[in-house]
Amino acid sequence: MTNKLVVYITGTGNTRRVAEHLADAIGADLREIVPDQPFTDADLDWTNPNSRSSKQHADRSMRPALAEDPSIDGYDAIFLGYPLWWDTAPREVRTWLEAHDFAGKKLTTFATSSSSTRGALGEQLHDSAPDAQWIDGRRFDVDASEDELRVWAQSLGM
């Protein structure tokens, strides 16, 4: 086990691809946050006010259950990836963050989005892991190269 963990949640597979490249680039372990109810195309329909993503946006207290909740034990540097939904992470990310003790751990985010950049820094998640040593994150395109990801990760000093 390395002391670096790349953990991610994905709706369409885009964040998974970036997470895999990041883990390879920095020699980190890779784990997925899996929602209890898998995402469907209908869930991701931002134009439908009754879609899952729209409901999560409307109810910020929502904490959906997880089918897989990756442990952070043994890691001191954690890279958390998610798609940007309404300028923030899916609520399952908060479920995961709030289930773990991040005291003494460095935590940063990487987000995927075809257009949005708001929410990529991860600032809106800080209250779900207040004891973490947060480092500003970044948004990446789905085709981010291992070299681009490696340079970014090294610049963080994690």
PDB file of all heavy atoms in Angstrom, residues 9 39 52-53 55-66 85-86 88-98 124-125 128:
ATOM      1  N   ILE A   9     -15.783   9.170  -7.534  1.00  0.00           N
ATOM      2  CA  ILE A   9     -17.133   8.761  -7.875  1.00  0.00           C
ATOM      3  C   ILE A   9     -17.351   9.206  -9.311  1.00  0.00           C
ATOM      4  O   ILE A   9     -16.811  10.238  -9.735  1.00  0.00           O
ATOM      5  CB  ILE A   9     -18.184   9.361  -6.911  1.00  0.00           C
ATOM      6  CG1 ILE A   9     -19.552   8.720  -7.140  1.00  0.00           C
ATOM      7  CG2 ILE A   9     -18.229  10.878  -7.007  1.00  0.00           C
ATOM      8  CD1 ILE A   9     -20.551   9.030  -6.026  1.00  0.00           C
ATOM      9  N   PHE A  39     -25.977   5.257 -10.791  1.00  0.00           N
ATOM     10  CA  PHE A  39     -26.478   6.370 -11.587  1.00  0.00           C
ATOM     11  C   PHE A  39     -27.002   5.858 -12.933  1.00  0.00           C
ATOM     12  O   PHE A  39     -26.403   4.977 -13.546  1.00  0.00           O
ATOM     13  CB  PHE A  39     -25.371   7.397 -11.850  1.00  0.00           C
ATOM     14  CG  PHE A  39     -24.835   8.047 -10.616  1.00  0.00           C
ATOM     15  CD1 PHE A  39     -23.497   7.918 -10.269  1.00  0.00           C
ATOM     16  CD2 PHE A  39     -25.659   8.792  -9.793  1.00  0.00           C
ATOM     17  CE1 PHE A  39     -22.985   8.532  -9.135  1.00  0.00           C
ATOM     18  CE2 PHE A  39     -25.171   9.411  -8.662  1.00  0.00           C
ATOM     19  CZ  PHE A  39     -23.830   9.268  -8.318  1.00  0.00           C
ATOM     20  N   ARG A  52     -32.307  12.852 -10.396  1.00  0.00           N
ATOM     21  CA  ARG A  52     -31.509  12.674  -9.175  1.00  0.00           C
ATOM     22  C   ARG A  52     -30.539  13.831  -8.951  1.00  0.00           C
ATOM     23  O   ARG A  52     -30.421  14.346  -7.840  1.00  0.00           O
ATOM     24  CB  ARG A  52     -30.749  11.354  -9.277  1.00  0.00           C
ATOM     25  CG  ARG A  52     -29.952  10.967  -8.069  1.00  0.00           C
ATOM     26  CD  ARG A  52     -29.495   9.553  -8.296  1.00  0.00           C
ATOM     27  NE  ARG A  52     -28.531   9.077  -7.356  1.00  0.00           N
ATOM     28  CZ  ARG A  52     -27.971   7.877  -7.452  1.00  0.00           C
ATOM     29  NH1 ARG A  52     -28.304   7.062  -8.435  1.00  0.00           N
ATOM     30  NH2 ARG A  52     -27.088   7.486  -6.569  1.00  0.00           N
ATOM     31  N   SER A  53     -29.847  14.247  -9.995  1.00  0.00           N
ATOM     32  CA  SER A  53     -28.884  15.349  -9.836  1.00  0.00           C
ATOM     33  C   SER A  53     -29.600  16.640  -9.453  1.00  0.00           C
ATOM     34  O   SER A  53     -29.101  17.400  -8.618  1.00  0.00           O
ATOM     35  CB  SER A  53     -28.069  15.535 -11.108  1.00  0.00           C
ATOM     36  OG  SER A  53     -28.909  15.832 -12.207  1.00  0.00           O
ATOM     37  N   LYS A  55     -32.503  16.886  -7.837  1.00  0.00           N
ATOM     38  CA  LYS A  55     -32.992  16.742  -6.460  1.00  0.00           C
ATOM     39  C   LYS A  55     -31.858  16.915  -5.458  1.00  0.00           C
ATOM     40  O   LYS A  55     -32.039  17.530  -4.412  1.00  0.00           O
ATOM     41  CB  LYS A  55     -33.676  15.391  -6.270  1.00  0.00           C
ATOM     42  CG  LYS A  55     -35.023  15.314  -6.941  1.00  0.00           C
ATOM     43  CD  LYS A  55     -35.660  13.958  -6.721  1.00  0.00           C
ATOM     44  CE  LYS A  55     -37.025  13.890  -7.373  1.00  0.00           C
ATOM     45  NZ  LYS A  55     -37.642  12.568  -7.200  1.00  0.00           N
ATOM     46  N   GLN A  56     -30.682  16.374  -5.788  1.00  0.00           N
ATOM     47  CA  GLN A  56     -29.539  16.553  -4.890  1.00  0.00           C
ATOM     48  C   GLN A  56     -29.155  18.028  -4.810  1.00  0.00           C
ATOM     49  O   GLN A  56     -28.794  18.512  -3.748  1.00  0.00           O
ATOM     50  CB  GLN A  56     -28.345  15.711  -5.354  1.00  0.00           C
ATOM     51  CG  GLN A  56     -28.483  14.252  -5.032  1.00  0.00           C
ATOM     52  CD  GLN A  56     -27.191  13.495  -5.260  1.00  0.00           C
ATOM     53  OE1 GLN A  56     -26.127  14.069  -5.497  1.00  0.00           O
ATOM     54  NE2 GLN A  56     -27.271  12.177  -5.174  1.00  0.00           N
ATOM     55  N   HIS A  57     -29.234  18.715  -5.925  1.00  0.00           N
ATOM     56  CA  HIS A  57     -28.924  20.143  -5.927  1.00  0.00           C
ATOM     57  C   HIS A  57     -29.903  20.909  -5.042  1.00  0.00           C
ATOM     58  O   HIS A  57     -29.507  21.817  -4.303  1.00  0.00           O
ATOM     59  CB  HIS A  57     -28.956  20.687  -7.352  1.00  0.00           C
ATOM     60  CG  HIS A  57     -28.840  22.170  -7.431  1.00  0.00           C
ATOM     61  ND1 HIS A  57     -27.695  22.840  -7.061  1.00  0.00           N
ATOM     62  CD2 HIS A  57     -29.704  23.122  -7.819  1.00  0.00           C
ATOM     63  CE1 HIS A  57     -27.869  24.132  -7.217  1.00  0.00           C
ATOM     64  NE2 HIS A  57     -29.091  24.334  -7.682  1.00  0.00           N
ATOM     65  N   ALA A  58     -31.151  20.529  -5.102  1.00  0.00           N
ATOM     66  CA  ALA A  58     -32.190  21.238  -4.344  1.00  0.00           C
ATOM     67  C   ALA A  58     -32.132  20.948  -2.846  1.00  0.00           C
ATOM     68  O   ALA A  58     -32.522  21.782  -2.038  1.00  0.00           O
ATOM     69  CB  ALA A  58     -33.563  20.869  -4.889  1.00  0.00           C
ATOM     70  N   ASP A  59     -31.635  19.778  -2.468  1.00  0.00           N
ATOM     71  CA  ASP A  59     -31.616  19.381  -1.056  1.00  0.00           C
ATOM     72  C   ASP A  59     -30.176  19.110  -0.617  1.00  0.00           C
ATOM     73  O   ASP A  59     -29.677  18.000  -0.689  1.00  0.00           O
ATOM     74  CB  ASP A  59     -32.474  18.140  -0.837  1.00  0.00           C
ATOM     75  CG  ASP A  59     -32.542  17.717   0.622  1.00  0.00           C
ATOM     76  OD1 ASP A  59     -31.883  18.356   1.476  1.00  0.00           O
ATOM     77  OD2 ASP A  59     -33.244  16.736   0.916  1.00  0.00           O
ATOM     78  N   ARG A  60     -29.519  20.148  -0.155  1.00  0.00           N
ATOM     79  CA  ARG A  60     -28.097  20.041   0.210  1.00  0.00           C
ATOM     80  C   ARG A  60     -27.856  19.189   1.449  1.00  0.00           C
ATOM     81  O   ARG A  60     -26.726  18.826   1.734  1.00  0.00           O
ATOM     82  CB  ARG A  60     -27.506  21.431   0.361  1.00  0.00           C
ATOM     83  CG  ARG A  60     -27.593  22.187  -0.968  1.00  0.00           C
ATOM     84  CD  ARG A  60     -26.566  23.265  -1.076  1.00  0.00           C
ATOM     85  NE  ARG A  60     -26.654  23.874  -2.394  1.00  0.00           N
ATOM     86  CZ  ARG A  60     -25.745  23.676  -3.349  1.00  0.00           C
ATOM     87  NH1 ARG A  60     -24.723  22.914  -3.135  1.00  0.00           N
ATOM     88  NH2 ARG A  60     -25.888  24.264  -4.511  1.00  0.00           N
ATOM     89  N   SER A  61     -28.909  18.842   2.185  1.00  0.00           N
ATOM     90  CA  SER A  61     -28.749  17.987   3.361  1.00  0.00           C
ATOM     91  C   SER A  61     -28.773  16.505   2.989  1.00  0.00           C
ATOM     92  O   SER A  61     -28.492  15.646   3.833  1.00  0.00           O
ATOM     93  CB  SER A  61     -29.855  18.267   4.380  1.00  0.00           C
ATOM     94  OG  SER A  61     -31.121  17.862   3.868  1.00  0.00           O
ATOM     95  N   MET A  62     -29.065  16.190   1.751  1.00  0.00           N
ATOM     96  CA  MET A  62     -29.160  14.803   1.300  1.00  0.00           C
ATOM     97  C   MET A  62     -27.816  14.090   1.471  1.00  0.00           C
ATOM     98  O   MET A  62     -26.767  14.629   1.124  1.00  0.00           O
ATOM     99  CB  MET A  62     -29.575  14.811  -0.177  1.00  0.00           C
ATOM    100  CG  MET A  62     -30.200  13.553  -0.659  1.00  0.00           C
ATOM    101  SD  MET A  62     -30.622  13.736  -2.425  1.00  0.00           S
ATOM    102  CE  MET A  62     -32.352  14.114  -2.262  1.00  0.00           C
ATOM    103  N   ARG A  63     -27.862  12.879   2.035  1.00  0.00           N
ATOM    104  CA  ARG A  63     -26.669  12.041   2.183  1.00  0.00           C
ATOM    105  C   ARG A  63     -27.021  10.621   1.730  1.00  0.00           C
ATOM    106  O   ARG A  63     -27.349   9.755   2.522  1.00  0.00           O
ATOM    107  CB  ARG A  63     -26.161  12.018   3.638  1.00  0.00           C
ATOM    108  CG  ARG A  63     -25.712  13.360   4.192  1.00  0.00           C
ATOM    109  CD  ARG A  63     -24.510  13.909   3.441  1.00  0.00           C
ATOM    110  NE  ARG A  63     -24.016  15.147   4.015  1.00  0.00           N
ATOM    111  CZ  ARG A  63     -24.431  16.367   3.684  1.00  0.00           C
ATOM    112  NH1 ARG A  63     -25.362  16.537   2.763  1.00  0.00           N
ATOM    113  NH2 ARG A  63     -23.889  17.432   4.251  1.00  0.00           N
ATOM    114  N   PRO A  64     -26.957  10.364   0.417  1.00  0.00           N
ATOM    115  CA  PRO A  64     -27.334   9.058  -0.113  1.00  0.00           C
ATOM    116  C   PRO A  64     -26.418   7.939   0.385  1.00  0.00           C
ATOM    117  O   PRO A  64     -25.223   8.141   0.628  1.00  0.00           O
ATOM    118  CB  PRO A  64     -27.187   9.231  -1.624  1.00  0.00           C
ATOM    119  CG  PRO A  64     -27.179  10.711  -1.846  1.00  0.00           C
ATOM    120  CD  PRO A  64     -26.590  11.311  -0.609  1.00  0.00           C
ATOM    121  N   ALA A  65     -26.979   6.759   0.515  1.00  0.00           N
ATOM    122  CA  ALA A  65     -26.233   5.589   0.984  1.00  0.00           C
ATOM    123  C   ALA A  65     -25.212   5.147  -0.068  1.00  0.00           C
ATOM    124  O   ALA A  65     -25.370   5.393  -1.265  1.00  0.00           O
ATOM    125  CB  ALA A  65     -27.195   4.447   1.287  1.00  0.00           C
ATOM    126  N   LEU A  66     -24.178   4.484   0.418  1.00  0.00           N
ATOM    127  CA  LEU A  66     -23.118   3.974  -0.450  1.00  0.00           C
ATOM    128  C   LEU A  66     -23.099   2.450  -0.439  1.00  0.00           C
ATOM    129  O   LEU A  66     -23.271   1.830   0.610  1.00  0.00           O
ATOM    130  CB  LEU A  66     -21.756   4.490   0.009  1.00  0.00           C
ATOM    131  CG  LEU A  66     -21.587   6.005   0.079  1.00  0.00           C
ATOM    132  CD1 LEU A  66     -20.195   6.343   0.614  1.00  0.00           C
ATOM    133  CD2 LEU A  66     -21.833   6.647  -1.272  1.00  0.00           C
ATOM    134  N   TRP A  85     -21.550  18.598 -10.498  1.00  0.00           N
ATOM    135  CA  TRP A  85     -23.004  18.665 -10.644  1.00  0.00           C
ATOM    136  C   TRP A  85     -23.434  19.967 -10.011  1.00  0.00           C
ATOM    137  O   TRP A  85     -23.279  20.143  -8.803  1.00  0.00           O
ATOM    138  CB  TRP A  85     -23.683  17.520  -9.911  1.00  0.00           C
ATOM    139  CG  TRP A  85     -23.542  16.170 -10.516  1.00  0.00           C
ATOM    140  CD1 TRP A  85     -22.754  15.786 -11.556  1.00  0.00           C
ATOM    141  CD2 TRP A  85     -24.221  14.989 -10.074  1.00  0.00           C
ATOM    142  NE1 TRP A  85     -22.895  14.461 -11.794  1.00  0.00           N
ATOM    143  CE2 TRP A  85     -23.799  13.937 -10.891  1.00  0.00           C
ATOM    144  CE3 TRP A  85     -25.143  14.732  -9.058  1.00  0.00           C
ATOM    145  CZ2 TRP A  85     -24.268  12.640 -10.736  1.00  0.00           C
ATOM    146  CZ3 TRP A  85     -25.600  13.445  -8.911  1.00  0.00           C
ATOM    147  CH2 TRP A  85     -25.174  12.410  -9.744  1.00  0.00           C
ATOM    148  N   TRP A  86     -23.937  20.876 -10.795  1.00  0.00           N
ATOM    149  CA  TRP A  86     -24.390  22.156 -10.259  1.00  0.00           C
ATOM    150  C   TRP A  86     -23.274  22.822  -9.458  1.00  0.00           C
ATOM    151  O   TRP A  86     -23.485  23.306  -8.361  1.00  0.00           O
ATOM    152  CB  TRP A  86     -25.633  21.990  -9.389  1.00  0.00           C
ATOM    153  CG  TRP A  86     -26.812  21.399 -10.077  1.00  0.00           C
ATOM    154  CD1 TRP A  86     -27.152  20.079 -10.101  1.00  0.00           C
ATOM    155  CD2 TRP A  86     -27.798  22.067 -10.832  1.00  0.00           C
ATOM    156  NE1 TRP A  86     -28.286  19.898 -10.823  1.00  0.00           N
ATOM    157  CE2 TRP A  86     -28.716  21.117 -11.286  1.00  0.00           C
ATOM    158  CE3 TRP A  86     -28.007  23.405 -11.177  1.00  0.00           C
ATOM    159  CZ2 TRP A  86     -29.818  21.438 -12.048  1.00  0.00           C
ATOM    160  CZ3 TRP A  86     -29.108  23.720 -11.943  1.00  0.00           C
ATOM    161  CH2 TRP A  86     -29.996  22.750 -12.372  1.00  0.00           C
ATOM    162  N   THR A  88     -20.799  21.530  -7.794  1.00  0.00           N
ATOM    163  CA  THR A  88     -20.352  20.834  -6.593  1.00  0.00           C
ATOM    164  C   THR A  88     -20.303  19.333  -6.871  1.00  0.00           C
ATOM    165  O   THR A  88     -20.613  18.882  -7.978  1.00  0.00           O
ATOM    166  CB  THR A  88     -21.259  21.158  -5.380  1.00  0.00           C
ATOM    167  OG1 THR A  88     -20.641  20.667  -4.182  1.00  0.00           O
ATOM    168  CG2 THR A  88     -22.644  20.555  -5.535  1.00  0.00           C
ATOM    169  N   ALA A  89     -19.911  18.582  -5.889  1.00  0.00           N
ATOM    170  CA  ALA A  89     -19.830  17.132  -6.008  1.00  0.00           C
ATOM    171  C   ALA A  89     -21.196  16.498  -5.763  1.00  0.00           C
ATOM    172  O   ALA A  89     -22.027  17.056  -5.046  1.00  0.00           O
ATOM    173  CB  ALA A  89     -18.834  16.594  -4.980  1.00  0.00           C
ATOM    174  N   PRO A  90     -21.435  15.315  -6.321  1.00  0.00           N
ATOM    175  CA  PRO A  90     -22.646  14.582  -5.962  1.00  0.00           C
ATOM    176  C   PRO A  90     -22.702  14.398  -4.442  1.00  0.00           C
ATOM    177  O   PRO A  90     -21.660  14.281  -3.780  1.00  0.00           O
ATOM    178  CB  PRO A  90     -22.481  13.234  -6.665  1.00  0.00           C
ATOM    179  CG  PRO A  90     -21.519  13.497  -7.783  1.00  0.00           C
ATOM    180  CD  PRO A  90     -20.605  14.571  -7.272  1.00  0.00           C
ATOM    181  N   ARG A  91     -23.879  14.374  -3.881  1.00  0.00           N
ATOM    182  CA  ARG A  91     -24.037  14.285  -2.415  1.00  0.00           C
ATOM    183  C   ARG A  91     -23.412  13.029  -1.822  1.00  0.00           C
ATOM    184  O   ARG A  91     -23.062  13.005  -0.644  1.00  0.00           O
ATOM    185  CB  ARG A  91     -25.514  14.361  -2.027  1.00  0.00           C
ATOM    186  CG  ARG A  91     -26.165  15.661  -2.408  1.00  0.00           C
ATOM    187  CD  ARG A  91     -25.707  16.801  -1.509  1.00  0.00           C
ATOM    188  NE  ARG A  91     -26.224  18.046  -2.046  1.00  0.00           N
ATOM    189  CZ  ARG A  91     -25.459  19.036  -2.464  1.00  0.00           C
ATOM    190  NH1 ARG A  91     -24.167  18.960  -2.380  1.00  0.00           N
ATOM    191  NH2 ARG A  91     -26.000  20.122  -2.950  1.00  0.00           N
ATOM    192  N   GLU A  92     -23.225  11.994  -2.627  1.00  0.00           N
ATOM    193  CA  GLU A  92     -22.562  10.777  -2.128  1.00  0.00           C
ATOM    194  C   GLU A  92     -21.154  11.076  -1.636  1.00  0.00           C
ATOM    195  O   GLU A  92     -20.641  10.394  -0.748  1.00  0.00           O
ATOM    196  CB  GLU A  92     -22.530   9.707  -3.226  1.00  0.00           C
ATOM    197  CG  GLU A  92     -23.865   9.077  -3.528  1.00  0.00           C
ATOM    198  CD  GLU A  92     -24.752   9.858  -4.495  1.00  0.00           C
ATOM    199  OE1 GLU A  92     -24.376  10.987  -4.902  1.00  0.00           O
ATOM    200  OE2 GLU A  92     -25.825   9.339  -4.851  1.00  0.00           O
ATOM    201  N   VAL A  93     -20.531  12.099  -2.191  1.00  0.00           N
ATOM    202  CA  VAL A  93     -19.190  12.489  -1.749  1.00  0.00           C
ATOM    203  C   VAL A  93     -19.238  12.959  -0.298  1.00  0.00           C
ATOM    204  O   VAL A  93     -18.375  12.608   0.512  1.00  0.00           O
ATOM    205  CB  VAL A  93     -18.580  13.560  -2.681  1.00  0.00           C
ATOM    206  CG1 VAL A  93     -17.318  14.156  -2.082  1.00  0.00           C
ATOM    207  CG2 VAL A  93     -18.305  12.957  -4.053  1.00  0.00           C
ATOM    208  N   ARG A  94     -20.245  13.723   0.051  1.00  0.00           N
ATOM    209  CA  ARG A  94     -20.379  14.166   1.444  1.00  0.00           C
ATOM    210  C   ARG A  94     -20.648  12.970   2.363  1.00  0.00           C
ATOM    211  O   ARG A  94     -20.138  12.923   3.483  1.00  0.00           O
ATOM    212  CB  ARG A  94     -21.473  15.212   1.582  1.00  0.00           C
ATOM    213  CG  ARG A  94     -21.050  16.571   1.047  1.00  0.00           C
ATOM    214  CD  ARG A  94     -22.108  17.625   1.353  1.00  0.00           C
ATOM    215  NE  ARG A  94     -21.722  18.930   0.893  1.00  0.00           N
ATOM    216  CZ  ARG A  94     -20.998  19.803   1.592  1.00  0.00           C
ATOM    217  NH1 ARG A  94     -20.543  19.494   2.784  1.00  0.00           N
ATOM    218  NH2 ARG A  94     -20.719  20.990   1.087  1.00  0.00           N
ATOM    219  N   THR A  95     -21.455  12.017   1.903  1.00  0.00           N
ATOM    220  CA  THR A  95     -21.680  10.800   2.686  1.00  0.00           C
ATOM    221  C   THR A  95     -20.340  10.153   3.006  1.00  0.00           C
ATOM    222  O   THR A  95     -20.076   9.777   4.150  1.00  0.00           O
ATOM    223  CB  THR A  95     -22.571   9.805   1.910  1.00  0.00           C
ATOM    224  OG1 THR A  95     -23.823  10.420   1.605  1.00  0.00           O
ATOM    225  CG2 THR A  95     -22.802   8.534   2.710  1.00  0.00           C
ATOM    226  N   TRP A  96     -19.493  10.031   1.992  1.00  0.00           N
ATOM    227  CA  TRP A  96     -18.183   9.400   2.172  1.00  0.00           C
ATOM    228  C   TRP A  96     -17.284  10.228   3.085  1.00  0.00           C
ATOM    229  O   TRP A  96     -16.685   9.692   4.026  1.00  0.00           O
ATOM    230  CB  TRP A  96     -17.514   9.186   0.806  1.00  0.00           C
ATOM    231  CG  TRP A  96     -16.178   8.536   0.929  1.00  0.00           C
ATOM    232  CD1 TRP A  96     -15.922   7.220   1.189  1.00  0.00           C
ATOM    233  CD2 TRP A  96     -14.913   9.187   0.822  1.00  0.00           C
ATOM    234  NE1 TRP A  96     -14.563   7.010   1.244  1.00  0.00           N
ATOM    235  CE2 TRP A  96     -13.927   8.206   1.024  1.00  0.00           C
ATOM    236  CE3 TRP A  96     -14.526  10.492   0.576  1.00  0.00           C
ATOM    237  CZ2 TRP A  96     -12.566   8.492   0.978  1.00  0.00           C
ATOM    238  CZ3 TRP A  96     -13.175  10.781   0.529  1.00  0.00           C
ATOM    239  CH2 TRP A  96     -12.212   9.790   0.728  1.00  0.00           C
ATOM    240  N   LEU A  97     -17.192  11.516   2.838  1.00  0.00           N
ATOM    241  CA  LEU A  97     -16.333  12.373   3.659  1.00  0.00           C
ATOM    242  C   LEU A  97     -16.732  12.311   5.134  1.00  0.00           C
ATOM    243  O   LEU A  97     -15.877  12.198   6.020  1.00  0.00           O
ATOM    244  CB  LEU A  97     -16.391  13.822   3.169  1.00  0.00           C
ATOM    245  CG  LEU A  97     -15.665  14.145   1.870  1.00  0.00           C
ATOM    246  CD1 LEU A  97     -16.053  15.533   1.376  1.00  0.00           C
ATOM    247  CD2 LEU A  97     -14.159  14.020   2.029  1.00  0.00           C
ATOM    248  N   GLU A  98     -18.018  12.397   5.397  1.00  0.00           N
ATOM    249  CA  GLU A  98     -18.503  12.459   6.780  1.00  0.00           C
ATOM    250  C   GLU A  98     -18.394  11.132   7.520  1.00  0.00           C
ATOM    251  O   GLU A  98     -18.511  11.098   8.737  1.00  0.00           O
ATOM    252  CB  GLU A  98     -19.933  12.994   6.783  1.00  0.00           C
ATOM    253  CG  GLU A  98     -19.969  14.461   6.349  1.00  0.00           C
ATOM    254  CD  GLU A  98     -21.342  15.005   6.048  1.00  0.00           C
ATOM    255  OE1 GLU A  98     -22.360  14.286   6.270  1.00  0.00           O
ATOM    256  OE2 GLU A  98     -21.429  16.169   5.588  1.00  0.00           O
ATOM    257  N   GLN A 124     -16.429  23.923  -1.133  1.00  0.00           N
ATOM    258  CA  GLN A 124     -17.768  23.665  -0.638  1.00  0.00           C
ATOM    259  C   GLN A 124     -17.854  22.371   0.162  1.00  0.00           C
ATOM    260  O   GLN A 124     -18.850  22.132   0.833  1.00  0.00           O
ATOM    261  CB  GLN A 124     -18.776  23.667  -1.801  1.00  0.00           C
ATOM    262  CG  GLN A 124     -18.722  22.437  -2.683  1.00  0.00           C
ATOM    263  CD  GLN A 124     -17.582  22.387  -3.685  1.00  0.00           C
ATOM    264  OE1 GLN A 124     -16.634  23.167  -3.631  1.00  0.00           O
ATOM    265  NE2 GLN A 124     -17.644  21.462  -4.607  1.00  0.00           N
ATOM    266  N   LEU A 125     -16.822  21.548   0.121  1.00  0.00           N
ATOM    267  CA  LEU A 125     -16.811  20.266   0.838  1.00  0.00           C
ATOM    268  C   LEU A 125     -16.082  20.332   2.175  1.00  0.00           C
ATOM    269  O   LEU A 125     -16.139  19.384   2.954  1.00  0.00           O
ATOM    270  CB  LEU A 125     -16.163  19.188  -0.042  1.00  0.00           C
ATOM    271  CG  LEU A 125     -16.849  18.905  -1.377  1.00  0.00           C
ATOM    272  CD1 LEU A 125     -15.997  17.970  -2.212  1.00  0.00           C
ATOM    273  CD2 LEU A 125     -18.242  18.345  -1.153  1.00  0.00           C
ATOM    274  N   SER A 128     -17.531  19.099   5.453  1.00  0.00           N
ATOM    275  CA  SER A 128     -17.792  17.664   5.614  1.00  0.00           C
ATOM    276  C   SER A 128     -16.557  16.897   6.082  1.00  0.00           C
ATOM    277  O   SER A 128     -16.665  15.724   6.443  1.00  0.00           O
ATOM    278  CB  SER A 128     -18.317  17.065   4.308  1.00  0.00           C
ATOM    279  OG  SER A 128     -19.652  17.470   4.084  1.00  0.00           O
TER     280      SER A 128
END
